[in-house]
Amino acid sequence: MPKYARFCIRCGKVEDENNVLINNLCPNCYIEIYGIARLDKPLRIIHCPRCYSIKIGDKWLRPNTQEELYSLIQAAIAESLQPATSEITFIDLTLKSVELYSPTLELEITASISNKVVVKHRLPVSVSWHKQLCPSCFKRAGKGYDAVVQLRYINYDSEIERFKNWLVEMFAEDIVEIDEHKNGYDIKVSNQFVARKIVNFIRRKWSCVKIIESYGDQRRRRDGRRYGRLYISVRILNFKPGDYIVLGGKAYIVDSVDEHSLTIIDSNGNRIRMNIKDMIKMYAPA
Ligand SMILES: [Zn+2]
Ligand SMILES: [Zn+2]
């Protein structure tokens, strides 16, 4: 007796081990009829416009790199995307295109149907992006700032960039905002104690710094103590050979620099060796 092969009632494809039928449908027709994911409304992605944290379930997660941001967006989608039927189980979701604030994202979904067959399916999903301050940014936004560390450098290098990123992580609760300037950053800090702590870290990392403290909008309390926003100007004097330097009103060119001294050349071509500490004392920012 020949055994009659079963086939898909929609497209007629015969069942075999590579084409298992589910409810008398081949996997392709099953997904065409039922869909793979429920997409009745756009997926909500809640993110913090300040620090790019993404809300997943009840948790806010902060990315450190672009790649981490993308994988958080992917996790947020995985969290809220529902299978189209109870027979479908998601195995893997991969974003094929990620563009922040794009209304559509392309997903590749790997899913099993009735635990019988695994399918891979590409799917554009509509996304609505919602801006919301994360709890720590919200806290900081309400705080205002009592101090500004005006960090400036002579020469930009990767050490400065790394230090800035480290500060942001280290003092996430206290740094209200960082404004970029041509030769540095204004680091707005919620309290003066932390501002001084930051300055000490800078002093420890670079021996060659000039620090000037001042108060803005200064007032005096009845007890005679002054208060006002604290401004600390911190200039990292990381000169390198060839830089111009003005000391005591005269211009020089830096010839060489080492840990404790630097050699400068005046307009007559004379080489002058100078202690770093003396240089810092004589240096006045333009
Ligand atoms: Zn079919
Ligand atoms: Zn945030």
Side-chain angles (χ1 to χ4, degrees):
M1 273 288 275
K3 211 176 152 197
Y4 290 102
R6 299 205 304 154
F7 55 86
C8 171
I9 55 169
R10 186 161 175 268
C11 71
K13 209 173 163 200
V14 173
E15 179 174 48
D16 58 34
E17 67 256 36
N18 296 318
N19 188 45
V20 180
L21 298 185
I22 307 114
N23 304 344
N24 299 316
L25 290 166
C26 72
N28 269 344
C29 289
Y30 183 94
I31 283 169
E32 274 184 33
I33 286 176
Y34 297 109
I36 193 158
R38 224 183 291 157
L39 295 172
D40 31 344
K41 49 183 182 222
L43 285 179
R44 274 166 70 89
I45 297 182
I46 302 171
H47 70 286
C48 174
R50 288 212 179 172
C51 69
Y52 292 96
S53 289
I54 302 278
K55 193 177 185 185
I56 298 168
D58 295 330
K59 279 207 185 95
W60 283 91
L61 298 171
R62 188 202 297 252
N64 288 316
T65 61
Q66 192 82 349
E67 287 70 36
E68 278 179 36
L69 173 64
Y70 293 163
S71 67
L72 286 179
I73 292 172
Q74 195 168 291
I77 289 173
E79 167 81 17
S80 48
L81 197 68
Q82 297 296 320
T85 71
S86 59
E87 289 159 323
I88 297 173
T89 313
F90 292 151
I91 297 168
D92 185 55
L93 300 175
T94 311
L95 275 175
K96 284 294 159 188
S97 64
V98 201
E99 215 183 302
L100 214 55
Y101 309 136
S102 161
T104 329
L105 297 178
E106 176 112 357
L107 264 185
E108 187 174 76
I109 301 178
T110 309
S112 90
I113 309 173
S114 292
N115 293 319
K116 282 185 188 164
V117 60
V118 173
V119 292
K120 249 189 208 287
H121 193 74
R122 279 231 183 177
L123 189 72
V125 293
S126 316
V127 176
S128 69
W129 300 85
H130 294 265
K131 286 184 188 170
Q132 191 183 316
L133 285 181
C134 74
S136 63
C137 286
F138 183 79
K139 222 160 93 191
R140 266 177 281 160
K143 258 185 191 171
Y145 57 100
D146 279 350
V148 183
V149 178
Q150 298 167 308
L151 176 66
R152 298 292 184 272
Y153 45 80
I154 304 295
N155 288 297
Y156 176 81
D157 56 30
S158 59
E159 225 176 327
I160 287 167
E161 177 72 21
R162 247 181 290 137
F163 182 76
K164 187 201 81 176
N165 293 338
W166 175 81
L167 273 186
V168 172
E169 263 182 54
M170 180 83 181
F171 298 104
E173 297 294 316
D174 300 294
I175 293 178
V176 174
E177 202 177 10
I178 294 187
D179 289 337
E180 286 199 24
H181 281 261
K182 200 170 155 231
N183 279 309
Y185 310 98
D186 278 0
I187 306 162
K188 297 175 179 169
V189 188
S190 62
N191 68 77
Q192 304 188 350
F193 172 75
V194 171
R196 290 212 165 86
K197 225 160 123 177
I198 290 173
V199 171
N200 280 337
F201 277 116
I202 298 170
R203 217 200 298 249
R204 237 177 282 163
K205 191 159 175 57
W206 289 274
S207 52
C208 203
V209 289
K210 178 129 190 156
I211 297 167
I212 300 166
E213 283 196 13
S214 61
Y215 284 86
D217 319 315
Q218 197 172 320
R219 266 163 269 178
R220 261 179 208 283
R221 289 204 187 99
R222 227 180 294 168
D223 62 7
R225 281 175 59 192
R226 60 186 178 176
Y227 73 100
R229 195 169 277 156
L230 172 66
Y231 288 83
I232 310 178
S233 151
V234 183
R235 202 164 283 260
I236 301 170
L237 302 178
N238 55 348
F239 285 101
K240 62 176 189 339
D243 284 341
Y244 274 100
I245 180 170
V246 177
L247 295 172
K250 280 174 79 181
Y252 303 88
I253 289 172
V254 175
D255 184 45
S256 65
V257 187
D258 63 38
E259 210 185 320
H260 304 290
S261 68
L262 82 168
T263 306
I264 50 178
I265 305 171
D266 70 10
S267 53
N268 298 320
N270 300 316
R271 277 189 166 68
I272 304 155
R273 207 174 135 91
M274 192 174 228
N275 193 298
I276 291 272
K277 279 189 187 136
D278 295 334
M279 183 273 279
I280 294 171
K281 256 182 246 160
M282 285 178 77
Y283 182 83

